Amino acid sequence: MLTMSSRRRWAVTAGVMTGMLLAALEATVVGTAMPTIVAQLGGLAHYSWVFSAYLLTSTVTVPIWGKLSDLFGRRLLYQGGIAVFLIGSAACGLSQTMMHLVFARALQGIGAGALVPLAMTIIGDMFTLEERAKMQGLFSGIWGLSSIIGPLLGGFITDQLSWRWVFYINLPVGIAAAVIIGLALQEPPRTERPSIDYLGALLLTASVTLLMLVLVEGGTVAAIFTARNIALLVAAAALFAWFVRVEMRAKDPVVPLTLFRNRVVSIAIAVGFLAGVAMFGAITFVPLMAQGVLGATATQAGTFLTPLMLSWVAASIIGGRLLIRLGTRPLVIAGLLFLIAGFGALAMFTPATPKVILMAELSLIGLGLGTTMLTLLIAAQHAVRREQLGITTSLNQFSRTIGGALGVALLGALMVSGLSANLHKAAAQPGSGITTAEADRLAENPNALVQPEARAKIARPVLAELQQALAGALRTIFLISAVLVALALLLALMIPGGKIETIPSTGEDFVMAELTTIDAEHEPCCE
């Protein structure tokens, strides 16, 4: 653990939280400004790539930033990530065409890949286990707050200033974060010349990029498994196999494969992957349920996620306090049970379900995510040596993001296929009011269900059939999410039991009973 004064530690904490706020707000502010951006720049065909380019590069670079921080230190890499993010932000604000904006967002995403994982790594360097557990609420609060104020802030800036200031506003905030980190964060000097696994980094980046290119396609199952995408998947698998072979022989691999012998780390990554599918599934499909089935406006649909976010923050605060007393396994199991209950209840919703019931079900999901996610992160961080802290933290986030991207792509494709099947089934019923041609049209482009103007033109009996069709497809998605979380629960049962204890005499912490089964070379040690 890094030794520094209490004042300096809290200054660094303020710096990393400011950096995390940049990443958190970017996920919500830009979406609000996009209609105005399209109106001025044109290029509607590239609309989705403004988001996809950012998602792709911010995901692909996460493990690389984490490993480089283990080699060269957190301060230099965190400041470098902020610098790339700010250059990308400035380029976004200066964009004159939609394609320029897409490339600038890709650059911005490269920097964003450093902000969250390195922030959590720096916190892991500075604070003991008990302190980190109690601080969980601060970091979850950033994401909860940004989810609420982000759309409002984006709308205000776009209306009162210009959409370009949605990106320019990042500059003073990011510079402040970089300066604080530069002045406050002290690290021991590094005398050894690091060995960089260039080939491993290149192969990992290439394989994940090809995978993400397939996942961001979205659409139907047929659209995902086109000849082009199958070729990309085969190439990604081949490159990943080559990557594994290189890592087995590398002097200092970018992803040490021995890390996966650590039971806590490997289970945390696997459970995070499956929980990531559920998390992104909820964030993606709950607003669609609110608009398409319940008839809410876009603004009202956004408020449906508020109880999820608030309960997530509350569970993080409470879970952090309980982590020291109960240990990792009970909290993770409890969190996954909350998730199963929440998604299972959502799988039974109907257009007549009271809003208060839906809010309660979403609160259960928030409780599950808040109890599970940061508990897994802290357990994984605590199970490795300091020189592996960066890559371990990055892999934890990477697994959730990849799980989310895969989940949104596949669940979205299944939702579209399910909607099409339900519409054609309704069209086959006498007196439904839906023709086969109309079923085909709505299955390919179901926007009429979420656009108030289009909904108003649909006859009530037909609209009711459409809502039932969409509700049936979404119920299937929520049920699949519950099943995936149940699989995560089976994995979580293999987490070693026991409490996490702290040694007050030195301020250094260990995983005690939880890690007694891990090989000696992978046991945590004091730094």
Side-chain angles (χ1 to χ4, degrees):
M1 188 178 75
L2 294 178
T3 302
M4 60 181 72
S5 68
S6 177
R7 179 180 297 180
R8 190 177 289 272
R9 285 200 302 171
W10 286 109
V12 174
T13 301
V16 297
M17 289 182 68
T18 303
M20 288 181 67
L21 183 63
L22 281 176
L25 284 175
E26 198 65 22
T28 55
V29 170
V30 175
T32 309
M34 277 307 297
T36 303
I37 295 174
V38 171
Q40 292 191 14
L41 298 184
L44 183 61
H46 304 299
Y47 182 98
S48 63
W49 273 102
V50 174
F51 302 97
S52 298
Y54 182 88
L55 174 64
L56 192 156
T57 55
S58 62
T59 301
V60 166
T61 54
V62 164
I64 308 300
W65 285 112
K67 180 60 179 182
L68 290 176
S69 77
D70 286 337
L71 295 176
F72 296 101
R74 321 296 183 206
R75 181 175 61 186
L76 176 64
L77 269 297
Y78 196 67
Q79 288 179 308
I82 291 176
V84 175
F85 182 86
L86 296 184
I87 293 171
S89 297
C92 288
L94 294 170
S95 297
Q96 300 301 313
T97 68
M98 189 65 83
M99 282 305 299
H100 290 166
L101 181 60
V102 169
F103 285 116
R105 285 281 285 172
L107 178 61
Q108 192 183 34
I110 292 174
L115 297 182
V116 176
L118 294 195
M120 300 305 295
T121 303
I122 291 170
I123 295 300
D125 276 336
M126 294 192 305
F127 293 98
T128 65
L129 170 70
E130 187 173 10
E131 291 169 329
R132 274 179 277 151
K134 291 180 179 179
M135 292 172 64
Q136 285 198 71
L138 290 175
F139 303 110
S140 292
I142 289 176
W143 293 95
L145 180 65
S146 67
S147 68
I148 296 172
I149 70 169
L152 300 175
L153 182 62
F156 177 81
I157 292 174
T158 302
D159 292 338
Q160 301 301 319
L161 299 173
S162 163
W163 65 264
R164 299 183 186 277
W165 279 97
V166 167
F167 301 104
Y168 291 151
I169 198 70
N170 292 332
L171 300 180
V173 179
I175 290 172
V179 170
I180 292 172
I181 292 295
L183 295 176
L185 181 57
Q186 293 179 324
E187 294 183 297
R190 297 172 182 263
T191 56
E192 296 183 3
R193 184 176 181 179
S195 173
I196 302 176
D197 179 17
Y198 292 105
L199 180 57
L202 178 63
L203 291 173
L204 177 62
T205 301
S207 62
V208 176
T209 298
L210 293 180
L211 174 62
M212 291 296 294
L213 285 173
V214 174
L215 298 182
V216 298
E217 287 287 320
T220 64
V221 174
I224 292 178
F225 293 103
T226 60
R228 165 191 173 274
N229 285 346
I230 291 175
L232 290 177
L233 289 172
V234 171
L239 288 172
F240 186 76
W242 187 7
F243 163 74
V244 171
R245 185 175 181 181
V246 168
E247 298 305 275
M248 293 175 64
R249 301 178 179 181
K251 178 181 178 182
D252 191 0
V254 65
V255 178
L257 300 183
T258 54
L259 197 63
F260 295 95
R261 285 197 226 158
N262 185 318
R263 197 197 308 182
V264 174
V265 173
S266 59
I267 293 177
I269 290 173
V271 172
F273 174 85
L274 292 171
V277 176
M279 177 179 71
F280 282 87
I283 293 172
T284 302
F285 295 110
V286 165
L288 178 60
M289 175 190 72
Q291 287 183 267
V293 180
L294 306 179
T297 64
T299 302
Q300 292 169 337
T303 64
F304 268 70
L305 292 176
T306 300
L308 186 154
M309 295 299 178
L310 293 179
S311 60
W312 186 336
V313 174
S316 296
I317 296 172
I318 297 171
R321 306 262 174 191
L322 294 175
L323 179 61
I324 305 300
R325 297 181 181 180
L326 301 179
T328 301
R329 185 166 65 178
L331 282 182
V332 173
I333 290 174
L336 294 174
L337 288 174
F338 280 132
L339 282 174
I340 293 171
F343 279 109
L346 273 183
M348 295 185 287
F349 90 99
T350 69
T353 301
K355 183 177 179 180
V356 66
I357 299 298
L358 293 174
M359 294 298 187
E361 293 166 358
L362 292 170
S363 295
L364 280 177
I365 294 175
L367 288 175
L369 292 171
T371 305
T372 303
M373 291 303 192
L374 283 180
T375 300
L376 288 171
L377 172 61
I378 290 177
Q381 285 183 330
H382 203 50
V384 298
R385 300 185 298 270
R386 182 175 180 272
E387 58 265 26
Q388 293 180 322
L389 193 61
I391 186 61
T392 301
T393 304
S394 298
L395 286 176
N396 190 276
Q397 181 187 337
F398 179 74
S399 66
R400 276 185 284 166
T401 307
I402 288 291
L406 180 63
V408 169
L410 293 181
L411 293 178
L414 291 173
M415 190 275 295
V416 172
S417 299
L419 175 61
S420 176
N422 291 342
L423 286 172
H424 284 88
K425 184 178 179 181
Q429 298 292 328
S432 67
I434 301 177
T435 65
T436 302
E438 190 173 22
D440 291 334
R441 178 176 58 82
L442 289 170
E444 292 179 3
N445 185 21
N447 289 339
L449 289 171
V450 297
Q451 293 175 345
E453 299 83 2
R455 287 170 65 96
K457 299 177 182 179
I458 302 175
R460 282 187 174 275
V462 175
L463 180 60
E465 292 285 355
L466 296 177
Q467 289 175 319
Q468 289 291 351
L470 180 59
L474 290 174
R475 281 195 293 268
T476 301
I477 296 306
F478 295 138
L479 181 60
I480 292 173
S481 298
V483 171
L484 291 173
V485 178
L487 293 177
L489 177 62
L490 294 177
L491 291 173
L493 294 174
M494 294 187 288
I495 296 176
K499 294 183 179 180
I500 296 180
E501 299 180 9
T502 300
I503 303 178
S505 60
T506 63
E508 296 168 331
D509 44 345
F510 299 82
V511 173
M512 292 298 200
E514 290 197 59
L515 300 179
T516 54
T517 59
I518 297 176
D519 294 341
E521 65 176 317
H522 302 298
E523 290 179 2
C525 68
C526 308
E527 294 293 343

